[in-house]
Amino acid sequence: MTHSTARSSDAPTTGAAPRSAGPARFSAPAPGRAPAPPPEFTDEEVLRQPLGYWTGAASEAIVGFISDNLARGGVRQPHWWTLNRVREAPQALTRDEVVEVVGASRPYVDVSDLGTAVDELLERGLLAAGDAGALQLTPAGDALVDHLWQEVMTPTLAQIRAGMSDAEYVTVVRLLHRVIRNVGGDAGFRP
């Protein structure tokens, strides 16, 4: 059986963000490009299928989808994480503190090029470094974050949750937390 997952080139920390004069508008994938519907499995067949495979496939597909949509907005995920952390921090963070804070909040995500992302945001004029390297969003950076939330992330997250009630979403996430704890993993995602 064949299942579609994100390509390795869709990984959140690879490739350079395209440079553009302004933020791009979100566009949903073209109709007719969705993979063929998966086969229907009986409950007994599902019980014999590996949870690790399905959680991995879901993760790759979701992360790839988010990454593709952020790229259309001119950033990669490390840029997105950085912009949001700097914006939401109760006090200004330095480059090293941003790397530490994002790394601590994403224990299963490769944040090895986060420092590079900070440097790229500084170079693009979306961040500015003040006293002792304290980072702040520039007006252009602040406008980009607003744009990405409204025009990219909101429709992207809505598409991910399409056909799922809030209660179903909460159930899925809580079940995944339980599975992670069952195997001794870190279920302490920090927003």
Side-chain angles (χ1 to χ4, degrees), residues 1 9 23 29 31 48 57 70 85 88 96 106 122-123 125 129 132 135 144 151 154 162 172 183 185:
M1 120 182 74
S9 63
R48 291 191 304 268
L70 282 171
R85 281 294 178 225
E88 296 166 358
D96 291 342
R106 305 283 189 274
L122 287 164
E123 182 181 306
L135 300 173
L144 179 62
E151 301 297 327
T154 297
V172 167
V183 298

Side-chain angles (χ1 to χ4, degrees), residues 95-185:
R95 179 185 189 275
D96 291 342
E97 289 168 335
V98 168
V99 172
E100 182 180 325
V101 168
V102 173
S105 69
R106 305 283 189 274
Y108 295 106
V109 175
D110 179 7
V111 294
S112 62
D113 72 341
L114 198 58
T116 301
V118 172
D119 296 340
E120 291 168 353
L121 292 169
L122 287 164
E123 182 181 306
R124 291 173 62 185
L126 299 170
L127 285 180
D131 296 337
L135 300 173
Q136 61 185 4
L137 265 64
T138 63
D142 200 49
L144 179 62
V145 172
D146 287 341
H147 166 77
L148 290 171
W149 270 118
Q150 292 173 345
E151 301 297 327
V152 176
M153 291 305 292
T154 297
T156 296
L157 297 174
Q159 186 166 344
I160 291 168
R161 289 185 52 186
M164 191 181 315
S165 71
D166 288 349
E168 289 171 319
Y169 182 81
V170 168
T171 297
V172 167
V173 173
R174 289 195 190 282
L175 288 171
L176 290 172
H177 288 177
R178 185 181 314 154
V179 168
I180 292 166
R181 285 190 304 271
N182 286 350
V183 298

Side-chain angles (χ1 to χ4, degrees), residues 42-92:
T42 66
D43 289 353
E44 292 77 24
E45 289 171 322
V46 170
L47 286 169
R48 291 191 304 268
Q49 293 178 359
L51 183 60
Y53 170 80
W54 288 112
T55 56
S59 177
E60 283 192 41
I62 293 165
V63 169
F65 182 70
I66 291 170
S67 294
D68 287 349
N69 287 317
L70 282 171
R72 288 184 193 107
V75 298
R76 295 178 298 115
Q77 280 190 326
H79 297 123
W80 178 239
W81 299 328
T82 298
L83 291 167
N84 280 290
R85 281 294 178 225
V86 169
R87 183 186 230 188
E88 296 166 358
Q91 61 189 40

